[in-house]
Amino acid sequence: MELLYLDELSHGLANLSMFPYFDMAHYIVSVMALREQPGALEVSRASPLACWFSSMLYCFGGAVLSGIMLAEPPVAPLSNGTGVLLASIVWYLIFYCPKDVVYSSAALLPLRLVLSGMKEVTRTWKVLGGVTQARQKYKDSLLVMIAIGWARGAGGGLISNFEQLVRGVWKPETNELLKMSYPTKITLIGAVLFTLQQTHYLPVQKHHLMLVYTIFIVVNKSRIMLTGSSSSPFATIESVLYKTLFAGHSPYSALTGEAKEACINNDNAKREAKENGSSRSPSAAVEGRSSSLRAKEESTSSDTKDSKKIN
Amino acid sequence: MELLYLDELSHGLANLSMFPYFDMAHYIVSVMALREQPGALEVSRASPLACWFSSMLYCFGGAVLSGIMLAEPPVAPLSNGTGVLLASIVWYLIFYCPKDVVYSSAALLPLRLVLSGMKEVTRTWKVLGGVTQARQKYKDSLLVMIAIGWARGAGGGLISNFEQLVRGVWKPETNELLKMSYPTKITLIGAVLFTLQQTHYLPVQKHHLMLVYTIFIVVNKSRIMLTGSSSSPFATIESVLYKTLFAGHSPYSALTGEAKEACINNDNAKREAKENGSSRSPSAAVEGRSSSLRAKEESTSSDTKDSKKIN
Amino acid sequence: MELLYLDELSHGLANLSMFPYFDMAHYIVSVMALREQPGALEVSRASPLACWFSSMLYCFGGAVLSGIMLAEPPVAPLSNGTGVLLASIVWYLIFYCPKDVVYSSAALLPLRLVLSGMKEVTRTWKVLGGVTQARQKYKDSLLVMIAIGWARGAGGGLISNFEQLVRGVWKPETNELLKMSYPTKITLIGAVLFTLQQTHYLPVQKHHLMLVYTIFIVVNKSRIMLTGSSSSPFATIESVLYKTLFAGHSPYSALTGEAKEACINNDNAKREAKENGSSRSPSAAVEGRSSSLRAKEESTSSDTKDSKKIN
């Protein structure tokens, strides 16, 4: 009986339409995330157009990125008139609403929790959409299907460097590949699962996987929001995998002690610069920078012929 | 009688061929604009190839950008052999002509005025070309048509960040979306007008709109060049629109006074750095930078849970 | 007799399959080049995924870049399952092999010499592949054929700015167009030659040109590796061409002496900063930077109407 009920539930979920309520929740949560970026409010005053364009990249980043990767027009999301209209209204209300009513109420924890949960639901649809779209062009290529599913589901994060550029911010030292955030990670796992399901390597039915994955990401997101903990549910697996595969022997440890020490000093300087108040930080940042320069030069200057094997 | 004459004139204009004279004027004015960029002459000595590539992006930037946006080969402008040949000759003469004859004469005000006027005429054709091209792919999407028309007409400016990168210059803190220049603005207006005309929302005939728009941009450009004023003809409308739509209530004004003050100080420091001579500016720039850092840190450090609603 | 033998040899070479041995050599040499970049080992520890993605860009950069330029899916190289698998195995062994056996042995001069020679052989195939691919789309456009051939053969270098961004490194002040490296240069020459051959402007047979070009690049690469000299075989031709075409008269020399002096000082400061040890360089770099700022401001501040002709 219970299994039958679950099956019906998963069928119901699979036939759920994202438009308009879930899409709307996605737009609201995305634009709120943009607004909470440092400097975003200033940009919204200085140039509403740049702010709007940034918002659209937050809302439709996945479609833009997967479009580029499949050589389809990146301008296509703009042709979805209703979606853009909805997202634009959300953008306007969140940034410019009189007395800031909309943002203030949406930022209340209970409402935000519901909206974030609904946004997570759209992730399942996006990942699945990306995987099936890639499958039409590249029948047997698992990697392409994973890549497109991932890009569609986590596009906003993956193109964040270029989205920031629209707002005049440039942080080359960080990106989602170097340091994956939780949504990017969970989307990657989803893309792998749906790809395996679509190519029948994973012997489950599509709507069952959709149900399980959706419940998992919604529950997990709620847990993170409520407890404020940022510990990943995969931390243990990741750590084991990492230790087995990538840290067995490390040629890195063979680096000259000198350069390594400089690296550590440098990291400390950076951390200090972050933790310290406003008064000290600029000088600390300069110090950090100079010691990083020094470290780099040391490692390059020691990169003579003899040490080629080591470095 | 006069109306008939105007109608004939607009028909004549609409049938005007841009090739070769107007295209040539566009190439000359574009390459001259590149040459007047700080550092461009040094690049032209250090790497003629990078300089040529930059020039091509100045001349064909609109076609490249609209090509990327519609998933058409960005390399396509290179296949227009005659155009590239003409542009390359112009590039060579302006950068490397013996005794600098070509640049010196083209920079004389009367000649420059004529060339700039002719370049503006090509803008009408480019915007219209972009709008009609987008219309073939996306029948009913006004936004796509505006975007492609704008990209085609103002491409050089919109991709300036990446054009600069070719020359080894990187200014992430500024772009045409954050602070629109006059040509970008006027092209956007043109793209909107031609899109409305093409979709019959604007009940005028194409050649009439072409005549009016062309006269407006040519006259306006000449005025700007002659008076040296950079006041936009839309300043009043813009200001009214801005105040109505985007400044009604400002959550920005709710920012902690402290951070705001720092911002203002920072802006002043920047302005000072710009206005002051060479001797003081580097230190002022550093000051400006550090106070901006401080402002950022203040705003992030105050971004604790309590103040989430405010910031 | 000897000619007959050469003809047979060239036929044999033209029918050589790149897969799997030559491709493998290409992957090994490319990933080793990545590993020798400053900071790459740190990235390989911090984020294996970013490291893998960087490696793929090193191995398939040409295919990605030429794909983008022809509006074909840049994700296509991923669909070549065997190639990606091979490259991934190479990536894993070179970065994470226990006791670093693979890298240490591949870095031994004799083996590295053979591998590098084999990698050079793949260049011929890639350039020719790019030229013929471009020819199918753009029958008569020499420029497009050269551009695509060049991009396919030297893609890794041309997109290095963006490849570095994956690893959190950003060096806008340099790129392969501003300062071409030897492989980029030789690939450009190859692209020109194969384009001329394909369009019958160069009256030689394809397999003959392949033989000659392959021998030339392999011999040259070996010479560079053995002697350690970085002198280009085209230095004389380049210098003559440059002097004839681009330095006849220099409007650059008409720059205000003041600014030029500042430039030279600045260059000296940079050179000093590079040559000096770790202790002095940061301050020298700052000095260099500030004098460069000063020089820039001088040249812009002197860019008033009167001096427009000069600057």
Side-chain angles (χ1 to χ4, degrees):
Chain A
M1 268 301 278
E2 198 145 281
L3 275 175
L4 206 72
Y5 171 71
L6 270 179
D7 195 56
E8 236 168 76
L9 187 72
S10 68
H11 266 296
L13 182 82
N15 292 326
L16 204 65
S17 167
M18 287 299 106
F19 181 83
Y21 301 113
F22 290 88
D23 279 344
M24 190 85 112
H26 166 62
Y27 301 147
I28 294 173
V29 174
S30 302
V31 176
M32 279 169 76
L34 169 62
R35 201 188 127 137
E36 280 152 13
Q37 295 291 314
L41 273 180
E42 283 86 337
V43 168
S44 77
R45 299 301 129 182
S47 168
L49 188 73
C51 180
W52 177 81
F53 192 63
S54 252
S55 301
M56 293 305 111
L57 285 180
Y58 259 79
C59 292
F60 303 103
V64 170
L65 182 60
S66 65
I68 291 172
M69 285 166 75
L70 288 171
E72 282 164 12
V75 91
L78 280 185
S79 71
N80 165 16
T82 332
V84 174
L85 188 69
L86 265 183
S88 301
I89 291 171
V90 166
W91 157 77
Y92 185 81
L93 290 176
I94 283 182
F95 274 101
Y96 308 103
C97 178
K99 305 215 172 157
D100 217 11
V101 179
V102 175
Y103 178 74
S104 310
S105 30
L108 293 173
L109 190 59
L111 191 49
R112 189 158 197 162
L113 204 62
V114 173
L115 290 171
S116 299
M118 289 171 79
K119 181 203 154 89
E120 288 304 305
V121 174
T122 66
R123 198 182 294 281
T124 309
W125 266 251
K126 278 191 246 153
V127 173
L128 183 59
V131 169
T132 48
Q133 187 191 5
R135 211 188 158 204
Q136 285 162 14
K137 278 206 174 181
Y138 296 96
K139 263 262 154 327
D140 302 311
S141 176
L142 293 179
L143 268 176
V144 173
M145 289 161 75
I146 293 172
I148 302 292
W150 192 29
R152 182 72 76 85
L158 292 172
I159 59 169
S160 58
N161 284 58
F162 294 95
E163 181 277 321
Q164 287 168 348
L165 190 56
V166 171
R167 294 184 279 123
V169 176
W170 185 244
K171 294 182 190 155
E173 68 281 359
T174 177
N175 64 52
E176 282 286 330
L177 287 171
L178 270 179
K179 191 150 180 48
M180 267 201 249
S181 62
Y182 162 76
T184 312
K185 221 175 260 176
I186 193 76
T187 312
L188 178 56
I189 292 169
V192 171
L193 289 178
F194 280 108
T195 300
L196 292 177
Q197 190 278 323
Q198 287 285 305
T199 49
H200 308 295
Y201 287 104
L202 198 72
V204 292
Q205 283 196 285
K206 196 175 80 176
H207 52 270
H208 290 161
L209 183 59
M210 283 174 80
L211 182 69
V212 172
Y213 181 68
T214 308
I215 289 175
F216 179 75
I217 54 178
V218 170
V219 167
N220 221 6
K221 179 78 191 178
S222 311
R223 187 184 60 78
I224 287 173
M225 286 184 74
L226 288 173
T227 63
S229 94
S230 65
S231 74
S232 163
F234 317 107
T236 333
I237 307 173
E238 267 175 48
S239 155
V240 169
L241 259 178
Y242 181 86
K243 274 185 192 148
T244 323
L245 288 174
F246 301 117
H249 158 83
S250 135
Y252 181 47
S253 63
L255 269 173
T256 50
E258 187 190 9
K260 222 180 158 183
E261 208 179 301
C263 280
I264 291 158
N265 286 343
N266 175 19
D267 283 2
N268 287 348
K270 269 189 202 155
R271 215 166 302 131
E272 268 173 39
K274 263 195 189 163
E275 285 163 11
N276 284 334
S278 51
S279 58
R280 266 213 56 216
S281 61
S283 67
V286 168
E287 266 171 44
R289 200 180 153 70
S290 60
S291 72
S292 122
L293 275 170
R294 219 181 304 140
K296 248 184 204 163
E297 267 143 29
E298 269 162 12
S299 66
T300 28
S301 71
S302 72
D303 185 16
T304 51
K305 271 210 165 162
D306 330 59
S307 67
K308 218 167 200 175
K309 263 176 290 176
I310 306 167
N311 193 29
Chain B
M1 269 302 277
E2 201 146 276
L3 275 176
L4 206 75
Y5 172 72
L6 271 178
D7 196 59
E8 237 168 75
L9 187 72
S10 67
H11 266 296
L13 182 82
N15 293 325
L16 205 64
S17 167
M18 288 298 105
F19 180 83
Y21 302 113
F22 290 88
D23 279 344
M24 189 85 112
H26 166 61
Y27 301 147
I28 294 173
V29 174
S30 301
V31 176
M32 280 169 76
L34 169 63
R35 200 187 127 142
E36 281 153 11
Q37 296 290 315
L41 273 179
E42 283 86 337
V43 168
S44 76
R45 301 300 130 182
S47 168
L49 187 74
C51 180
W52 177 81
F53 192 63
S54 252
S55 300
M56 293 305 112
L57 285 180
Y58 259 79
C59 292
F60 303 103
V64 170
L65 181 60
S66 64
I68 291 173
M69 286 166 73
L70 287 172
E72 283 164 10
V75 92
L78 279 184
S79 71
N80 165 16
T82 332
V84 174
L85 188 69
L86 265 183
S88 301
I89 292 172
V90 165
W91 158 77
Y92 185 79
L93 289 177
I94 283 182
F95 274 100
Y96 308 103
C97 178
K99 305 216 172 155
D100 217 12
V101 179
V102 175
Y103 178 73
S104 309
S105 29
L108 293 173
L109 189 59
L111 191 49
R112 188 156 199 166
L113 203 63
V114 172
L115 289 172
S116 298
M118 288 171 79
K119 180 204 156 88
E120 289 304 305
V121 173
T122 66
R123 198 181 295 280
T124 309
W125 266 252
K126 278 191 245 152
V127 172
L128 183 58
V131 169
T132 49
Q133 188 191 2
R135 212 189 157 202
Q136 284 162 15
K137 279 208 174 179
Y138 297 96
K139 262 263 157 322
D140 301 312
S141 177
L142 293 179
L143 269 175
V144 174
M145 289 161 75
I146 293 172
I148 302 292
W150 191 29
R152 181 72 75 83
L158 292 171
I159 58 169
S160 58
N161 284 58
F162 295 95
E163 180 278 321
Q164 288 168 347
L165 191 56
V166 171
R167 293 183 279 123
V169 176
W170 185 245
K171 293 182 192 156
E173 68 282 359
T174 178
N175 64 51
E176 283 286 330
L177 287 171
L178 270 179
K179 191 151 179 46
M180 267 200 248
S181 61
Y182 161 77
T184 312
K185 219 175 262 176
I186 193 75
T187 311
L188 178 55
I189 292 169
V192 171
L193 289 179
F194 279 108
T195 299
L196 293 178
Q197 190 278 322
Q198 287 284 305
T199 48
H200 307 294
Y201 286 104
L202 197 72
V204 292
Q205 284 196 282
K206 195 175 79 177
H207 52 271
H208 289 162
L209 183 59
M210 284 174 80
L211 181 70
V212 172
Y213 182 67
T214 308
I215 289 176
F216 179 75
I217 53 179
V218 170
V219 166
N220 220 7
K221 178 79 190 178
S222 310
R223 187 183 61 77
I224 288 173
M225 286 184 73
L226 287 174
T227 63
S229 94
S230 64
S231 74
S232 162
F234 316 107
T236 333
I237 306 174
E238 268 175 47
S239 155
V240 169
L241 259 177
Y242 181 88
K243 275 184 192 151
T244 320
L245 289 174
F246 302 118
H249 158 84
S250 134
Y252 181 48
S253 63
L255 271 172
T256 50
E258 189 190 8
K260 224 185 160 181
E261 210 179 300
C263 280
I264 291 160
N265 286 342
N266 174 20
D267 283 1
N268 287 348
K270 267 189 201 155
R271 216 166 301 131
E272 268 173 39
K274 263 195 189 166
E275 283 163 11
N276 284 334
S278 51
S279 58
R280 266 212 56 214
S281 60
S283 66
V286 168
E287 268 171 43
R289 201 181 152 70
S290 60
S291 72
S292 121
L293 276 170
R294 220 180 303 143
K296 249 187 205 162
E297 268 143 29
E298 270 162 12
S299 66
T300 27
S301 70
S302 71
D303 186 19
T304 52
K305 272 211 167 161
D306 329 62
S307 66
K308 219 169 197 173
K309 263 176 289 174
I310 306 168
N311 191 29
Chain C
M1 267 302 276
E2 198 146 282
L3 276 175
L4 207 73
Y5 172 72
L6 272 178
D7 195 58
E8 237 168 75
L9 187 72
S10 67
H11 267 295
L13 182 82
N15 293 327
L16 205 65
S17 168
M18 287 299 105
F19 180 83
Y21 301 113
F22 290 88
D23 278 344
M24 190 85 112
H26 166 61
Y27 301 147
I28 295 173
V29 174
S30 300
V31 176
M32 281 170 75
L34 169 63
R35 200 187 127 138
E36 281 152 11
Q37 295 291 313
L41 273 179
E42 283 86 336
V43 168
S44 76
R45 300 300 131 183
S47 168
L49 187 74
C51 181
W52 177 81
F53 192 63
S54 252
S55 300
M56 293 306 111
L57 285 181
Y58 258 80
C59 293
F60 303 102
V64 171
L65 181 60
S66 66
I68 291 173
M69 286 167 74
L70 287 172
E72 283 163 10
V75 92
L78 279 185
S79 70
N80 166 16
T82 334
V84 174
L85 188 69
L86 264 184
S88 300
I89 292 171
V90 166
W91 157 77
Y92 185 81
L93 289 177
I94 282 183
F95 274 101
Y96 308 102
C97 178
K99 306 220 173 154
D100 217 12
V101 179
V102 176
Y103 177 73
S104 309
S105 31
L108 292 173
L109 190 60
L111 191 50
R112 188 155 197 166
L113 204 62
V114 172
L115 290 171
S116 299
M118 289 171 79
K119 180 204 155 86
E120 289 303 306
V121 173
T122 65
R123 198 182 294 281
T124 309
W125 266 251
K126 278 192 246 151
V127 172
L128 184 58
V131 169
T132 49
Q133 187 190 6
R135 212 190 157 202
Q136 285 162 14
K137 278 207 175 181
Y138 296 96
K139 264 259 156 323
D140 301 311
S141 177
L142 294 179
L143 270 175
V144 173
M145 290 161 74
I146 293 172
I148 302 293
W150 192 28
R152 182 73 76 83
L158 292 171
I159 59 168
S160 58
N161 284 59
F162 295 95
E163 181 276 321
Q164 288 168 348
L165 191 55
V166 172
R167 294 184 278 122
V169 176
W170 184 245
K171 294 182 191 155
E173 68 283 358
T174 178
N175 64 52
E176 281 287 328
L177 286 170
L178 270 179
K179 191 152 179 47
M180 268 200 249
S181 61
Y182 162 76
T184 312
K185 221 174 261 176
I186 194 76
T187 312
L188 178 55
I189 292 168
V192 171
L193 289 178
F194 280 108
T195 300
L196 293 177
Q197 191 278 324
Q198 288 285 305
T199 48
H200 308 295
Y201 286 104
L202 198 72
V204 293
Q205 284 196 285
K206 196 175 79 176
H207 51 271
H208 289 162
L209 183 59
M210 284 174 81
L211 180 70
V212 172
Y213 181 69
T214 307
I215 290 177
F216 179 75
I217 54 179
V218 170
V219 167
N220 221 5
K221 179 79 190 177
S222 311
R223 186 183 62 76
I224 288 173
M225 286 184 74
L226 287 174
T227 62
S229 95
S230 64
S231 75
S232 162
F234 316 106
T236 333
I237 305 174
E238 267 176 48
S239 154
V240 168
L241 259 178
Y242 181 86
K243 274 186 192 150
T244 321
L245 288 174
F246 301 117
H249 158 84
S250 132
Y252 181 47
S253 64
L255 272 172
T256 52
E258 191 189 6
K260 223 183 157 181
E261 211 179 298
C263 281
I264 292 159
N265 286 342
N266 174 20
D267 283 2
N268 287 347
K270 270 189 202 156
R271 216 166 301 132
E272 269 174 39
K274 264 195 188 164
E275 285 162 10
N276 285 334
S278 52
S279 57
R280 266 212 55 214
S281 61
S283 67
V286 168
E287 266 172 45
R289 201 178 154 70
S290 59
S291 73
S292 121
L293 275 172
R294 219 180 305 141
K296 250 185 204 163
E297 268 144 30
E298 270 163 12
S299 67
T300 27
S301 70
S302 73
D303 187 17
T304 51
K305 271 210 167 162
D306 328 62
S307 67
K308 218 166 199 173
K309 264 176 290 174
I310 305 168
N311 192 30

